[in-house]
């Protein structure tokens, strides 16, 4: 009698789902030499997927609860909504929780986002009996006469609700269920976590593979470029545009050696390899892949300028094919066409694989074999290798042997030396964009080739083609900004001061009004230039997707014409990072402000401001307005996730009519869901405030000094309808003070007064204010001054002081929340700011600020952002967890009513006018 294990029972439905793979029609296994034309048709791709695999994708989507997102894809706003789960640090309890858990942790840059371990929600007293019962039910017996060999080896089933899903299956299922913009967000966040990124996404259900060019286009890489002669410099470029030698690692049939572990060791300088590529020794790493075979991943090595850390002197790309090359020949063919060298890991070389590799005759790619001969057929391997050596132009140095007794450290050094040798010699160097051309030739789908994306790209190129110099373009094409806007802003400021002084109307105020109208009339006399008209057309189209594509293309296109940065010494790379994540060194000089989408929106705002001013004064009939629809167009961008400018960074003033028009449009659009909480973050540039917001809410505020505009920007975060009654609001309006608050210690003069006024405005609008500080700095005098002013009015927001450790990236910091006493003796700047307010009581020291209401104010200490040294450092787990705790505290304060009374949009409009 023979016996085996299987699941509980075999009802007809389950038996059909778990059909034997050999019950399906088999593809023709006649091997022949193949060229690129063999892979340009769907039939060639169909052969990669037996029929049994096609249903496996749908089963996985159903298991994860993603089947509903196949027709209508999951979008970025869907993943960013605030819900009750946003306040819980919970573990997934069922497979349907895994996609949302992954997205939430990825948004928070949590290094454990890929962990798919589930905590079953089963009463403790029920577990032992249930396990015993399950074990009994899983044992069945077959008759001795039955043929059990097929049943044992064909038995394969998808993960069950109590079996963790392979993280790569989760990633593939989620990407297949997401729209282009959520895919891009997922890939960007993965890059900040130093996870390997998906390059080719397999889709067995629809019979095509997708090359993820668009998804990767938002990834920005920073590295230290050291020429053979001369001074090195910091370089930043798009990951899809920069060229680098690529090295592919693939498996042929079975390999005792792990590709992913070898790749991680090659990429890591320290003794403990980073887990960039998911591998078998990680938690749930041994779970079988159901839909991820055929996935191609990419990761880069980027030098930092430190000899003790840089294992290679230049950037290198490393590619990893999941699965066997015999089953995924199309992906393997692509890798041979884009790589400088291919490393093939195998225990055995069979006749089938020999014929496949023989078809690569004439390839310019170098091939290396990594063998474990004691586990395979040694003589057979040698015979086929000797035949392949002349075909693949190898020699005996191209064959590496690694067995259990091999020194792992020495073996990794040998692989690195081969990689470095290939890179030093003339070799293929391609960008990801150029790799996409090879993918198209082989018949792969490229995600960027959709019509909407290409139309948006063409429009962007028509605009940016005419931009040769940023300053000249601002002066000649964006004519309403610059000096005209500065003059108008100054007159409006003087007029506002005269009105608030309470003096009776006089000739001076009438003269100011006359000057303002003349300036606005001059602005209104201009026509929008061709570039502005093209931009307006790009955001006016009926297709929501095309608008989103156009905005992203404009951001990248304008970044390419930004002024170059001055050179920096190697040490500064520790504090510099890609555009969407980094904290910068406080000593870094201000860069010239780059040209961006906000410049075009400012121009639209000035056309609207000038026209509105003339209509209010009766100089222009309302029926002759041409730009009244501009706030509605801008609002669409805010709802799509683009930060909109609240305070103009070029003039340090608020375009009141434009902002009011935006808020009125927002009120109309949101209708019944118009209850707002306003959350602002203030601080000196370089204290990590934008990074904090992006990590906390998944926002897109520009980060890094000089990487973005200097104004204050706002973004809207939606609260799920089911959670709105509990939280007490429908949306959270998040405001980032940008570069408005300077770090200078001057405490008098016009600049300080202006900064203090702007800080008062932002805090006055806010229900909650977060003050972001470096560990070694006092509260900036302008912010302290704003607190003093607001204390007079009685409008004091719930505020949190956040001290961020910007430099010591590896040292463990104190607990995130620590009620330690702030310094009793504030710095000279803070004392001077206090003295500027002539009042009898209230806040007099920094300690008074922190503890005037112990129940509402807290002090936080956030660990360093990086674990290790950038650019190869990942975001530290301590940073991610501390930001989550801060977010949970802020939401709790909002829910418990510790912040000021929540506003509707009409009240916010009035508050903007009054402040």
């Amino acid at each position: 009698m023979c016996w085996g294990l299987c699941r509980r029972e075999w009802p007809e439905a389950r038996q059909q789902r778990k059909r034997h793979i050999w019950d399906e029609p088999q593809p023709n296994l006649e091997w022949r030499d193949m060229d690129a034309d063999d892979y340009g048709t769907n039939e060639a791709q169909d052969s990669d997927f037996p029929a049994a695999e096609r249903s496996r994708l749908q089963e996985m989507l159903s298991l994860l609860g993603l089947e509903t997102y196949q027709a209508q894809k999951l979008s970025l706003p869907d993943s960013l909504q605030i819900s009750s789960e946003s306040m819980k640090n919970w573990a997934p309890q069922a497979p349907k929780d895994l996609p949302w858990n992954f997205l939430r942790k990825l948004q928070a840059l949590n290094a454990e986002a890929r962990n798919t371990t589930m905590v079953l929600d089963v009463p403790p007293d029920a577990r032992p009996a249930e396990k015993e019962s399950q074990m009994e039910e899983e044992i069945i017996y077959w008759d001795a006469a039955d043929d059990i060999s097929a049943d044992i080896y064909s038995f394969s089933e998808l993960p069950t609700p109590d079996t963790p899903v392979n993280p790569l299956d989760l990633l593939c299922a989620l990407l297949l269920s997401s729209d282009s913009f959520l895919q891009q967000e997922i890939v960007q966040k993965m890059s900040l976590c130093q996870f390997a990124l998906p390059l080719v996404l397999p889709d067995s259900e629809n019979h095509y593979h997708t090359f993820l060019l668009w998804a990767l286009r938002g990834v920005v890489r920073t590295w230290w470029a050291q020429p053979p002669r001369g001074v090195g410099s910091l370089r930043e470029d798009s990951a899809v545009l920069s060229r680098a030698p690529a090295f592919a690692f693939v498996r042929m049939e079975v390999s005792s050696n792990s590709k992913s572990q070898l790749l991680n060791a090659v990429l890591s300088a320290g003794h403990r390899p980073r887990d960039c590529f998911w591998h078998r020794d990680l938690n749930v790493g041994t779970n079988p892949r159901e839909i991820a075979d055929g996935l191609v991943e990419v990761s880069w090595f980027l030098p930092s300028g430190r000899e003790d850390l840089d294992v290679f002197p230049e950037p290198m790309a490393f590619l990893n094919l999941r699965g066997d090359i015999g089953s995924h020949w199309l992906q393997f063919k692509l890798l041979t066409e884009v790589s400088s060298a291919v490393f093939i890991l195998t225990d055995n070389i069979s006749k089938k694989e020999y014929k496949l590799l023989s078809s690569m005759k004439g390839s310019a790619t170098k091939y290396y074999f990594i063998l474990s001969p004691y586990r395979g057929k040694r003589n057979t391997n040698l015979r086929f290798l000797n035949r392949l050596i002349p075909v693949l132009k190898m020699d005996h140095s191209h064959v590496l042997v690694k067995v259990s007794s091999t020194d792992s450290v020495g073996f990794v050094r040998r692989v690195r030396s081969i990689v470095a040798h290939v890179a030093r010699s003339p070799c293929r160097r391609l960008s990801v964009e150029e790799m996409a051309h090879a993918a198209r030739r082989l018949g792969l789908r490229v995600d960027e080739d959709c019509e909407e994306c290409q139309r948006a790209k063409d429009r962007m190129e028509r605009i940016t083609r005419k931009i040769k110099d940023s300053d000249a373009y601002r002066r000649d094409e964006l004519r309403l900004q610059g000096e005209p806007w500065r003059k108008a802003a100054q007159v409006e400021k003087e007029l506002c001061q005269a009105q608030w002084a309470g003096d009776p109307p006089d000739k001076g105020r009438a003269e100011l009004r006359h000057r303002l109208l003349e300036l606005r009339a001059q602005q209104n006399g201009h026509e929008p230039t061709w570039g502005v008209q093209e931009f307006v057309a790009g955001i006016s189209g009926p297709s929501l997707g095309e608008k989103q594509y156009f905005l992203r293309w404009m951001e990248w296109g304008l970044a390419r014409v930004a002024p170059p940065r001055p050179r920096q010494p190697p040490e500064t790379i520790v504090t510099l990072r890609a555009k969407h994540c980094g904290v910068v060194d406080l000593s870094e000089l201000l860069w010239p402000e780059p040209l961006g989408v906000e410049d075009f929106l400012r121009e639209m705002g000035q056309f609207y401001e000038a026209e509105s001013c003339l209509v209010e004064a009766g100089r222009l009939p309302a029926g002759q307005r041409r730009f009244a629809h501009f706030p509605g167009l801008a609002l669409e961008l805010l709802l799509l996730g683009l930060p909109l400018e609240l305070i103009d960074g070029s003039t340090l003033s608020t375009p009141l009519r434009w902002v009011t028009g935006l808020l009125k449009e927002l009120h109309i659009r949101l209708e019944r869901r118009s209850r707002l909480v306003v959350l602002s973050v203030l601080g000196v540039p370089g204290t990590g405030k934008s990074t904090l917001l992006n990590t906390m809410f998944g926002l897109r505020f520009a980060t890094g000094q000089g990487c973005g505009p200097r104004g204050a920007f706002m973004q809207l975060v939606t609260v799920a309808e089911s959670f709105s009654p509990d939280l007490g609001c429908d949306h959270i309006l998040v405001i980032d003070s940008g570069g408005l608050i300077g770090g200078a210690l001057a405490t008098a003069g016009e600049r300080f007064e202006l900064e203090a006024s702007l800080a008062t405005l932002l805090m006055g609008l806010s229900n909650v204010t977060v003050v972001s500080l470096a560990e070694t700095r006092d509260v900036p005098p302008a912010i302290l001054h704003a607190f003093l002013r607001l204390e007079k009015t009685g409008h004091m927001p719930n505020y949190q002081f956040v001290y961020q450790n910007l430099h010591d990236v590896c040292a463990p910091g104190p607990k995130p929340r620590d009620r330690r006493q702030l310094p009793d003796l504030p710095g000279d700047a803070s004392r001077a700011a206090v003295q500027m307010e002539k009042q009898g009581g209230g806040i007099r020291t920094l300690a008074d600020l922190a503890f005037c209401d112990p129940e509402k104010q807290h002090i936080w200490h956030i660990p360093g952002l990086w674990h290790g040294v950038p650019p190869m450092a990942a975001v530290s787990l301590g940073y991610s967890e501390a930001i989550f705790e801060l977010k949970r505290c802020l939401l709790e304060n909002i829910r418990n009513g510790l912040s000021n009374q929540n506003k509707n949009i009409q009240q916010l409009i009035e508050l903007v006018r009054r402040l």
Side-chain angles (χ1 to χ4, degrees):
M1 179 71 70
C2 299
W3 62 274
L5 293 178
C6 101
R7 278 280 169 201
R8 299 178 181 247
E9 55 183 271
W10 288 87
E12 191 62 28
R14 287 193 77 187
Q15 199 166 15
Q16 185 176 2
R17 177 169 71 86
K18 299 175 181 177
R19 54 191 175 225
H20 301 318
I21 194 167
W22 41 79
D23 291 339
E24 301 299 325
Q26 294 299 299
N28 185 1
L29 297 180
E30 179 182 352
W31 299 98
R32 58 187 176 85
D33 289 350
M34 303 177 183
D35 54 25
D37 294 335
D38 290 312
Y39 305 100
T41 64
N42 285 336
E43 285 76 14
Q45 295 198 30
D46 283 347
S47 66
D48 286 345
F49 303 107
E53 286 298 307
R54 294 174 191 162
S55 65
R56 200 161 283 274
L57 173 61
Q58 288 302 321
E59 291 285 351
M60 178 60 70
L61 294 173
S62 177
L63 182 73
L64 296 172
L66 296 173
E67 71 275 15
T68 57
Y69 295 107
Q70 299 314 295
Q72 184 69 34
K73 297 293 186 182
L74 191 64
S75 68
L76 183 57
D78 293 334
S79 70
L80 298 182
Q81 278 195 355
I82 300 292
S83 64
S84 58
E85 282 75 21
S86 303
M87 301 175 66
K88 301 174 184 175
N89 191 9
W90 57 280
Q93 298 175 350
K96 286 181 169 58
D97 297 333
L98 292 175
W100 304 103
N101 180 69
F102 176 77
L103 288 172
R104 269 190 290 270
K105 287 192 172 181
L106 199 61
Q107 173 189 311
L109 304 179
N110 191 307
E112 297 181 350
R114 296 178 295 185
N115 190 343
T116 58
T117 303
M118 292 175 286
V119 178
L120 296 181
D121 190 16
V122 179
D125 56 347
R127 286 174 189 163
E130 183 176 327
K131 279 194 173 184
E132 184 178 350
S133 172
Q134 181 178 350
M135 287 179 66
E136 291 176 357
E137 291 177 356
E138 284 181 340
I139 300 177
I140 70 168
Y141 294 87
W142 283 286
D143 187 89
D146 291 340
D147 180 5
I148 67 167
S149 60
D151 290 308
I152 290 176
Y153 290 106
S154 70
F155 182 79
S156 174
E157 62 176 314
L158 287 165
T160 56
D162 58 349
T163 305
V165 176
N166 188 289
L168 296 176
D169 287 337
L170 172 62
L171 175 63
C172 289
L174 190 53
L175 289 173
L176 289 169
S177 306
S178 304
D179 67 14
S180 298
F181 306 99
L182 180 54
Q183 286 182 351
Q184 197 173 83
E185 183 73 8
I186 289 171
V187 170
Q188 285 182 357
K189 297 293 187 182
M190 289 178 67
S191 74
L192 300 182
C193 295
Q194 290 295 341
F195 298 161
L197 308 182
L199 181 67
V200 176
L201 180 66
D203 182 352
S204 58
E205 186 72 17
N206 297 304
H207 322 309
Y208 56 67
H209 310 293
T210 304
F211 189 94
L212 298 177
L213 177 61
W214 171 261
L216 284 161
R217 194 171 283 278
V219 177
V220 179
R221 294 298 191 186
T222 306
W223 69 92
W224 184 253
Q226 180 66 56
R229 295 181 181 84
V231 180
S233 62
L234 189 67
R235 185 177 173 187
E236 183 179 281
D237 201 359
S238 167
V240 304
L241 297 178
S242 54
R243 291 179 172 176
F247 299 87
F249 285 69
V250 302
R251 172 172 59 82
M252 188 165 67
E253 284 199 342
V254 177
S255 173
S256 306
N257 297 307
S258 168
K259 294 192 315 310
S260 301
Q261 285 179 303
L262 177 59
L263 277 165
N264 291 339
V266 169
L267 284 165
S268 304
H271 295 292
R272 183 184 182 278
R274 295 180 302 104
D275 296 321
C276 179
F277 293 92
W278 192 264
H279 59 84
R280 62 180 68 158
D281 285 351
L282 294 174
N283 194 17
V284 304
T286 56
N287 284 54
R289 293 189 296 270
E290 301 293 341
I291 63 172
D293 278 350
L295 173 71
V296 177
E297 299 168 288
V298 61
S299 187
W300 286 268
F301 173 82
L302 301 167
S304 64
R306 287 180 49 175
E307 292 184 2
D308 59 327
L309 295 177
D310 292 345
V311 296
F312 302 111
E314 63 174 315
M316 306 274 192
F318 292 87
L319 307 170
N320 185 12
L321 171 62
R322 300 290 182 166
D324 171 44
I325 63 173
S327 302
H328 306 285
W329 186 250
L330 183 61
Q331 290 94 318
F332 178 63
K333 180 74 172 173
L334 173 66
L335 296 184
T336 62
E337 293 200 8
V338 302
S339 302
S340 304
V342 175
F343 290 80
I344 302 172
L345 284 76
T346 187
D347 291 349
N348 297 313
I349 303 177
S350 66
K351 186 175 182 180
K352 181 179 73 173
E353 276 69 34
Y354 165 72
K355 290 184 176 181
L356 282 172
L357 293 173
S358 297
S359 68
M360 309 307 297
K361 184 176 181 179
S363 172
T365 305
K366 295 180 173 63
Y367 293 89
Y368 294 85
F369 283 84
I370 299 178
L371 302 176
S372 299
Y374 298 126
R375 293 180 176 270
K377 301 173 182 178
R378 184 173 183 178
N379 294 333
T380 304
N381 288 342
L382 291 175
R383 185 172 69 252
F384 284 127
L385 277 174
N386 286 326
R387 293 181 187 178
L388 286 172
I389 281 176
V391 175
L392 301 180
K393 299 179 181 178
M394 303 191 307
D395 57 39
H396 292 288
S397 66
H398 287 223
V399 179
L400 288 72
V401 177
K402 185 178 188 299
V403 294
S404 57
S405 59
T406 304
D407 175 27
S408 296
V409 175
F411 187 81
V412 169
R413 278 201 299 265
R414 186 176 177 191
V415 174
R416 283 179 183 163
S417 67
I418 293 172
V419 169
H421 173 74
V422 172
R424 284 194 301 269
S425 60
C427 66
R428 182 185 288 131
R429 293 168 183 266
L430 298 180
S431 66
V432 174
E433 199 169 57
E434 291 166 332
M435 293 180 186
H437 298 322
R440 292 185 184 98
R441 289 195 303 271
L442 293 172
L444 275 78
R445 174 180 174 266
V446 177
D447 59 351
E448 209 169 84
D449 290 349
C450 67
E451 289 186 10
E452 287 184 335
C453 182
Q454 291 305 307
R455 284 198 301 268
K457 181 181 180 181
D458 291 343
R459 189 183 295 276
M460 175 275 294
E461 289 177 340
R462 290 198 299 270
I463 295 173
T464 57
R465 199 177 295 126
K466 297 181 178 293
I467 305 176
K468 307 301 181 186
D469 178 82
S470 298
D471 292 335
Y473 190 84
R474 280 195 181 95
R475 182 180 62 251
D476 300 334
E477 299 294 321
L478 307 177
R479 301 170 186 166
L480 270 61
Q481 299 176 56
E483 200 58 32
W485 171 217
R486 287 191 183 90
K487 289 180 179 179
Q490 180 61 33
V491 173
E492 285 189 332
K493 178 184 175 183
E494 294 174 7
L495 188 59
C496 183
Q497 289 173 338
Q499 289 173 341
W500 277 100
D503 298 332
D506 56 14
K507 184 178 179 181
R509 287 169 63 180
E511 184 178 341
L512 287 173
R513 289 196 193 92
H514 178 74
R515 282 173 54 198
L516 178 62
L517 288 174
E518 289 299 315
L519 290 169
R520 291 304 190 187
Q522 290 176 19
Q523 286 183 309
N524 196 56
H526 289 285
E527 291 291 329
T529 59
W530 178 86
V532 175
Q533 292 180 37
E534 277 289 296
F535 179 83
V536 171
I539 63 174
S540 301
S543 169
L544 192 63
E546 189 168 337
K547 289 180 189 178
Q548 291 176 283
Y549 279 119
F550 175 68
L551 286 173
R552 297 291 172 92
W553 279 119
M554 282 296 294
E555 290 176 2
W556 301 326
L558 293 172
R560 303 296 294 178
V561 299
R565 295 181 170 197
R567 292 175 174 177
Q568 293 289 311
E571 290 75 18
T572 60
I573 201 168
V574 176
T575 51
L576 288 173
R577 188 59 170 167
K579 179 177 179 179
H580 292 284
C581 70
V583 175
V584 299
D585 187 40
L586 295 175
S587 63
E588 190 180 10
L589 297 174
L590 278 173
W591 307 105
E593 188 174 0
L595 191 66
V597 171
E598 65 279 352
D599 290 280
F600 289 87
L601 289 170
R602 283 177 192 167
E603 191 75 0
M604 291 173 60
Q606 284 307 300
F607 275 109
Y608 180 82
E609 282 269 330
E611 188 178 76
S612 299
C613 184
L614 296 178
V615 170
E616 290 171 8
R619 291 200 177 188
L620 181 70
Q624 296 182 14
R625 298 195 66 162
R626 298 179 295 162
F627 310 118
H629 64 297
F630 277 8
L633 295 178
L635 177 67
E636 287 283 351
L637 309 188
L638 179 68
L639 297 177
L640 290 175
L642 183 77
L644 290 188
E645 200 167 40
L646 178 64
I647 298 177
D648 188 329
S650 62
T651 61
L652 298 181
S653 59
T654 304
L656 186 60
R657 297 173 185 82
W658 174 245
V659 172
T660 301
L662 286 172
L663 293 176
K664 286 180 178 178
E665 289 289 336
L666 182 62
H667 179 68
I668 295 170
R669 182 64 59 87
L670 298 183
E671 296 178 348
R672 62 184 179 85
R673 301 201 69 217
S674 61
R675 294 178 303 162
L676 284 180
V677 162
V678 181
L679 186 153
S680 62
V681 175
L682 280 71
V684 174
T687 54
K689 58 188 182 303
S690 302
T691 304
L692 181 147
L693 288 174
N694 293 347
T695 307
M696 193 180 298
F697 295 110
L699 303 178
R700 299 185 59 233
F701 291 116
T703 61
Q705 209 165 17
C707 288
R710 302 188 187 112
F713 283 76
M714 56 184 176
Q715 276 193 262
L716 197 66
V717 179
T718 301
V719 179
E721 285 198 51
S722 59
F723 189 50
S724 289
D726 190 17
L727 193 62
C729 65
D730 303 306
H731 294 84
I732 299 176
L733 188 68
V734 182
I735 302 175
D736 179 9
S737 66
L740 294 180
I741 311 301
L745 295 180
T747 56
E750 186 177 353
R751 172 74 189 190
F752 171 77
E753 285 287 353
L754 190 56
E755 287 186 4
S757 298
L758 295 175
T760 305
L761 168 63
L762 294 181
M763 292 174 60
L765 294 175
S766 303
N767 303 92
V768 181
T769 293
V770 176
V771 180
S772 181
L773 303 166
E775 283 284 4
T776 57
R777 292 207 170 190
D778 293 321
V779 178
I783 295 177
L784 182 58
H785 199 61
F787 272 113
L788 296 171
R789 287 181 173 178
L790 289 173
E791 200 231 359
K792 289 181 181 179
T793 67
H795 180 97
M796 187 67 72
N798 175 272
Y799 55 89
Q800 310 283 330
F801 286 99
V802 176
Y803 284 88
Q804 299 204 51
N805 183 354
L806 302 183
H807 298 287
D808 190 5
V809 293
C810 297
K815 293 181 180 179
R817 198 172 188 169
D818 182 7
R819 285 184 167 277
R820 70 166 173 84
Q821 182 81 15
L822 282 173
D824 290 326
L825 295 175
D828 295 339
S830 300
R831 287 199 199 92
V834 173
Q835 294 302 321
M836 292 189 67
E837 291 294 328
K838 307 296 183 182
Q839 56 189 40
I843 302 170
R844 278 291 176 267
T845 68
L846 207 55
D848 292 333
L849 267 183
F851 297 104
C852 62
D853 189 344
E855 294 303 317
K856 294 185 181 181
Q857 282 74 42
H858 300 92
I859 302 159
W860 298 75
H861 296 272
I862 306 297
L865 176 64
W866 303 119
H867 178 70
V869 177
M872 295 300 290
V875 174
S876 74
L877 186 60
Y879 178 86
S880 175
E881 291 175 342
I883 295 298
F884 175 80
E885 287 299 323
L886 174 60
K887 176 182 179 179
R888 184 160 61 178
C889 173
L890 296 176
L891 294 177
E892 282 285 358
N893 288 348
I894 293 170
R895 183 167 68 175
N896 296 333
L898 296 182
S899 60
N900 284 323
Q901 184 179 4
N902 300 341
K903 312 170 179 65
N904 61 40
I905 296 177
Q906 292 283 27
Q907 292 170 328
L908 184 62
I909 292 172
E910 182 56 36
L911 193 56
V912 169
R913 286 174 173 157
R914 188 160 56 87
L915 285 170

